[in-house]
Amino acid sequence: MAAKDNLSAVLRKVNDIQMEQREIPQPTDTEVLLAVHSVGICGSDVHYWTHGAIGDFVVKMPMVLGHETSGTVVAVGSKVTSLKPGDRVAVEPGVPCRMCDYCKGARYNLCLEMKFHATPPYHGSLTRYFAHPADFCYKLPDHVSYEEGALLEPLSVGVHACRRAGVTIGHTVLICGAGPIGLVNLLTAKAMGASKVCITDIDASRLERAKQLGADWTVQVNTIVKETSAQFADRIIVAIGGHADVTIECSGAESSIQSAIYATKSGGMLVLVGLGSANVNIPIVNAAVREVDIRGIFRYANCYPLALSMVASGKVDVKPLITHRFTLEQTLEAFETARTGKDNAIKWVKYPLRNDG
Ligand code: NAD
Ligand code: ZN
């Protein structure tokens, strides 16, 4: 019976995703029950699948994957007044404790008690039904599609990074790495007023897509003739015609972080989004004496409303980021496509799980 069907993509252990039936949960007083519509696959989903861990987060128990989600409200808890059955929503996947200093200080992304979809030990959203706190669900206007709703998750990473970078009107922005996260930063930086954006990558097809999405300049890493990170930065500076006001590093590669420092103007800002090796060697004295500020980011806090309004107002078009669509039953094929990047797949691959529009 359809109402009992809660097919879910469960990561049991490394390289082992099983499609399993799970109980449909009851929402608590403050939760809503959601029928999932679209879920994007993120690099982290693929990494848990292929490695079973990201840093200290280790998959020790079977875990439902997926955290870029939109769906329809099918039931509401007794205290929920903001949503009603039938509402279409985007789901912010991390629910913090709401009690600690970070939560009270509006930096709830740093909460030590964060329960984030598909970050062990918490289940994700690649399932037909799940319950979620109503205040972490954002109602979608009629003209914003479910797929766009799911993409508010990575877009929020771009919003948080560009906010922490202080991107503003007239800025020249350098983005290192043209994967999905680099691309959402490109779109956000432009929406926030950046005049020009330069983007780098190793992969020519990714740079081509970045150009289609509005990058003003692309600079490809030369993998045939070895160049130093300072030489690569010089090529960026020549392309831009000067240093970048702010740089957003979205590859996590050591050499790219090095070039990012060299290519940022004195007094500028470098935001580290990419997470690669735990320890990297960087030209710290160069950054220090030129007062290049270096900041990290971790996910986002209070970014969904802006991400939604950027999409709803037409300032940002995330639709071109969606390259592939699969059903829930095709989960393994979807993960394989995301892992290999074949057919120029951008990392996240959509699952319209239902056919209700
Ligand atoms: P991705 O692997 O699809 O993209 C990374 C891109 O960087 C690729 O296109 C790759 O070709 C390119 N690249 C590799 N080496 C490079 C180099 N030396 N110079 C320039 N480009 C290079 O990954 P993604 O999904 O776009 O995510 C990007 C990074 O952001 C990952 O490290 C991910 O873990 C991280 N991330 C961080 C946060 C956060 O909260 N800090 C959130 C989401 C993702
Ligand atoms: Zn907290």
Side-chain angles (χ1 to χ4, degrees), residues 54 87 108:
I54 296 182
D87 283 346
Y108 61 82

Side-chain angles (χ1 to χ4, degrees), residues 179-229:
I181 293 296
L183 296 179
V184 290
N185 274 282
L186 160 66
L187 296 174
T188 308
K190 283 273 170 146
M192 288 186 176
S195 301
K196 301 269 187 188
V197 176
C198 176
I199 193 159
T200 68
D201 207 288
I202 294 173
D203 185 322
S205 66
R206 290 209 155 185
L207 290 175
E208 191 48 45
R209 194 185 307 270
K211 236 184 229 163
Q212 289 160 6
L213 288 171
D216 298 279
W217 307 286
T218 60
V219 184
Q220 189 174 359
V221 176
N222 196 335
T223 50
I224 297 164
V225 182
K226 189 93 188 109
E227 61 187 344
T228 65
S229 51

Side-chain angles (χ1 to χ4, degrees), residues 21 24 30 36 41 49 62-63 74 107 112 117 120 168 189-190 209 223 233 245 248 264 278 282 296 309 329 341-342:
Q21 284 292 344
I24 297 177
T30 52
V36 177
I41 296 180
W49 173 46
M63 177 181 85
V74 289
R107 298 187 74 172
L112 297 171
H117 276 176
T168 191
K190 283 273 170 146
R209 194 185 307 270
T223 50
D245 293 303
I248 303 175
T264 306
I282 58 167
S309 71
E329 289 81 354
K342 68 177 182 185

Side-chain angles (χ1 to χ4, degrees), residues 331-353:
T331 290
L332 271 176
E333 193 186 324
F335 269 72
E336 198 54 36
T337 305
R339 184 180 67 79
T340 56
K342 68 177 182 185
D343 308 327
N344 279 334
I346 301 204
K347 272 272 158 65
W348 52 78
V349 188
K350 309 311 299 177
Y351 286 85
L353 298 182

Side-chain angles (χ1 to χ4, degrees), residues 7-78:
L7 191 69
S8 309
V10 179
L11 179 66
R12 298 201 71 84
K13 56 181 188 319
V14 175
N15 289 325
D16 184 9
I17 296 174
Q18 302 278 340
M19 301 309 296
E20 296 178 6
Q21 284 292 344
R22 291 169 50 81
E23 283 278 300
I24 297 177
Q26 284 288 329
T28 66
D29 285 355
T30 52
E31 288 181 339
V32 295
L33 180 66
L34 295 164
V36 177
H37 190 286
S38 298
V39 181
I41 296 180
C42 163
S44 67
D45 294 308
V46 176
H47 202 85
Y48 281 123
W49 173 46
T50 53
H51 293 76
I54 296 182
D56 293 339
F57 294 103
V58 181
V59 179
K60 294 180 181 151
M61 311 243 288
M63 177 181 85
V64 178
L65 291 162
H67 64 267
E68 301 176 358
T69 321
S70 64
T72 316
V73 175
V74 289
V76 301
S78 61

Side-chain angles (χ1 to χ4, degrees), residues 225-355:
V225 182
K226 189 93 188 109
E227 61 187 344
T228 65
S229 51
Q231 286 168 334
F232 183 59
D234 284 342
R235 283 207 285 130
I236 295 168
I237 292 163
V238 168
I240 294 178
H243 289 70
D245 293 303
V246 303
T247 300
I248 303 175
E249 207 298 315
C250 300
S251 79
E254 181 176 66
S255 61
S256 180
I257 301 170
Q258 294 167 348
S259 311
I261 291 174
Y262 292 130
T264 306
K265 79 172 191 193
S266 298
M269 175 78 77
L270 165 61
V271 168
L272 302 178
V273 182
L275 304 172
S277 303
N279 292 291
V280 293
N281 192 358
I282 58 167
I284 197 74
V285 171
N286 180 288
V289 300
R290 295 196 304 110
E291 297 191 1
V292 173
D293 292 345
I294 302 176
R295 287 182 157 192
I297 69 136
F298 187 52
R299 300 172 176 151
Y300 39 75
N302 301 307
C303 292
Y304 260 68
L306 180 55
L308 175 54
S309 71
M310 291 193 317
V311 170
S313 66
K315 279 256 176 216
V316 162
D317 182 6
V318 287
K319 290 192 290 292
L321 298 176
I322 302 165
T323 55
H324 291 65
R325 291 170 175 84
F326 298 91
T327 64
L328 184 59
E329 289 81 354
Q330 293 170 313
T331 290
L332 271 176
E333 193 186 324
F335 269 72
E336 198 54 36
T337 305
R339 184 180 67 79
T340 56
K342 68 177 182 185
D343 308 327
N344 279 334
I346 301 204
K347 272 272 158 65
W348 52 78
V349 188
K350 309 311 299 177
Y351 286 85
L353 298 182
R354 317 190 77 78
N355 291 319

